Amino acid sequence: MAWQKLGCFFTTDGQRPWMVSHACVPTALYLPDADRIRVYFAPRNARGQSIPTYLEVDAADPTEVTYLHDRPILELGERGTFDDGGIMPCSLVEAADGSLYLYYVGWNPSVSVAYRNAVGLAISRDGGVTFERPFPGAVVDRNRTEPFFTASPCALREGDDWHLWYASSTGFLEVGERIEPLYVIKYAHSRDGINWDRTNTTLLAPAAPPECTARPSVVKDGDTYKMWYCYRGSYDYRDGADAYRIGYAESRNAGEGWQRMDERAGITYSDAGWDSTMQTYPSVVDTPHGRYLFYNGNGFGKTGIGCARWQNT
């Protein structure tokens, strides 16, 4: 089993004046009525802030961009709130009433460390074209047992049960002249998608203490939950052997019992080109044309968004 790479199909170069660089954290949503895949992502503006928007591709050929939205779907939060410094879309779930819940990462600049994150929620009642916050605060933030930050959520609804996998920071370390975060993937459960019960349980143990895991993307096949995620091995990760890679894990229980199987992720660095030194921020989506993986390559999205199709070999 492996991903057949279809290549990089989008960069921000020359697209919109407010899309200065990067196309971070592609987040895919299949649109059955149009037979398209809408890919939400976060370009950076002139101040380096991530502002979410979306594009659409043909579901039969996801390298063909059929539409690029001309404005952000959500503006930065009010000054002083958890998302006043940047917004990255991460996961979309259809609620029972047909509305779309967008879970995203909010960014704040910080002082003793470079930033802090929290998980926010915005809701769309027009099929994902526009979104509004139901309240100005985060839905999953640091608390008494997770005191540093939360980020990169993936939500899944099964009837009245809502699952959330997310990154949770376990602290910061000095690495040369930098302060770098540690983080692992944890789990939360909800009955409404808003109020979350958190177990504070690490789902995937780091292979070594510096390793970090983040940005889970979970689909369910039968009674098995399948997670693709990204991980990095050390702090010298910006462009080299320890940069982000895509890993894989499985479980029969959403909140525990995850078995890490990175050798089954089905994708590795290219020999050259846009994803030759980094693969990160995976988003897996099922369509009538097959299962697709959208992801970023080198430079955390600086080289654009690419995709791959799942192949049973």
Side-chain angles (χ1 to χ4, degrees):
M1 298 179 289
W3 294 104
Q4 176 194 9
K5 292 183 181 180
L6 303 179
C8 178
F9 65 89
F10 179 82
T11 71
T12 55
D13 295 346
Q15 298 289 353
R16 299 281 189 265
W18 50 276
M19 295 183 186
V20 175
S21 70
H22 293 71
C24 293
V25 198
T27 301
L29 175 70
Y30 177 62
L31 306 176
D33 292 344
D35 197 28
R36 293 182 179 182
I37 302 170
R38 181 174 293 158
V39 182
Y40 296 85
F41 67 100
R44 295 183 187 177
N45 63 18
R47 300 179 63 186
Q49 298 167 317
S50 299
I51 310 292
T53 189
Y54 67 86
L55 57 81
E56 292 179 1
V57 298
D58 186 336
D61 178 7
T63 64
E64 181 183 347
V65 177
T66 58
Y67 176 77
L68 176 62
H69 206 43
D70 63 353
R71 68 198 67 186
I73 59 167
L74 200 64
E75 297 293 343
L76 296 178
E78 183 180 352
R79 181 178 296 176
T81 57
F82 78 101
D83 55 356
D84 68 353
I87 294 170
M88 287 182 171
C90 283
S91 184
L92 288 120
V93 177
E94 184 175 350
D97 64 0
S99 59
L100 280 176
Y101 281 32
L102 169 65
Y103 296 91
Y104 65 90
V105 179
W107 289 75
N108 272 142
S110 190
V111 176
S112 60
V113 296
Y115 61 86
R116 60 165 295 200
N117 298 134
V119 176
L121 171 66
I123 298 175
S124 174
R125 305 191 188 280
D126 59 5
V129 177
T130 62
F131 289 84
E132 293 184 356
R133 298 171 179 83
F135 37 76
V139 289
V140 177
D141 203 346
R142 58 187 183 182
N143 62 15
R144 67 181 68 180
T145 57
E146 296 176 80
F148 299 104
F149 68 68
T150 59
S152 59
C154 173
L156 177 69
R157 182 175 72 90
E158 296 184 284
D160 292 331
D161 289 322
W162 293 67
H163 308 290
L164 189 76
W165 301 269
Y166 64 99
S168 176
S169 174
T170 58
F172 292 81
L173 291 177
E174 291 189 25
V175 183
E177 297 181 354
R178 305 195 309 270
I179 305 295
E180 295 288 350
L182 295 168
Y183 38 86
V184 295
I185 295 173
K186 295 187 178 182
Y187 171 80
H189 177 265
S190 177
R191 301 293 287 181
D192 60 9
I194 297 174
N195 300 288
W196 294 93
D197 296 321
R198 295 149 68 176
T199 63
N200 195 30
T201 301
T202 298
L203 300 187
L204 303 175
E211 186 184 64
C212 295
T213 55
R215 214 296 160 96
S217 180
V218 180
V219 296
K220 193 175 184 184
D221 285 344
D223 60 358
T224 302
Y225 296 92
K226 298 183 176 182
M227 177 192 294
W228 282 267
Y229 59 94
C230 60
Y231 68 99
R232 59 174 174 81
S234 77
Y235 293 113
D236 297 323
Y237 60 85
R238 281 163 171 71
D239 188 27
D242 292 319
Y244 272 117
R245 298 173 182 268
I246 294 175
Y248 176 77
E250 290 184 359
S251 179
R252 298 293 181 91
N253 186 314
E256 61 185 12
W258 285 89
Q259 183 178 359
R260 188 169 175 174
M261 309 174 186
D262 291 342
E263 70 281 359
R264 296 180 60 183
I267 193 167
T268 59
Y269 292 165
S270 296
D271 292 336
W274 80 282
D275 67 342
S276 59
T277 60
M278 183 181 292
Q279 292 174 335
T280 191
Y281 305 140
S283 176
V284 178
V285 63
D286 288 325
T287 79
H289 307 279
R291 176 169 289 172
Y292 293 108
L293 167 69
F294 293 85
Y295 67 103
N296 286 139
N298 309 344
F300 300 94
K302 188 175 183 178
T303 57
I305 300 171
C307 63
R309 179 184 288 112
W310 186 247
Q311 300 287 314
N312 291 312
T313 57

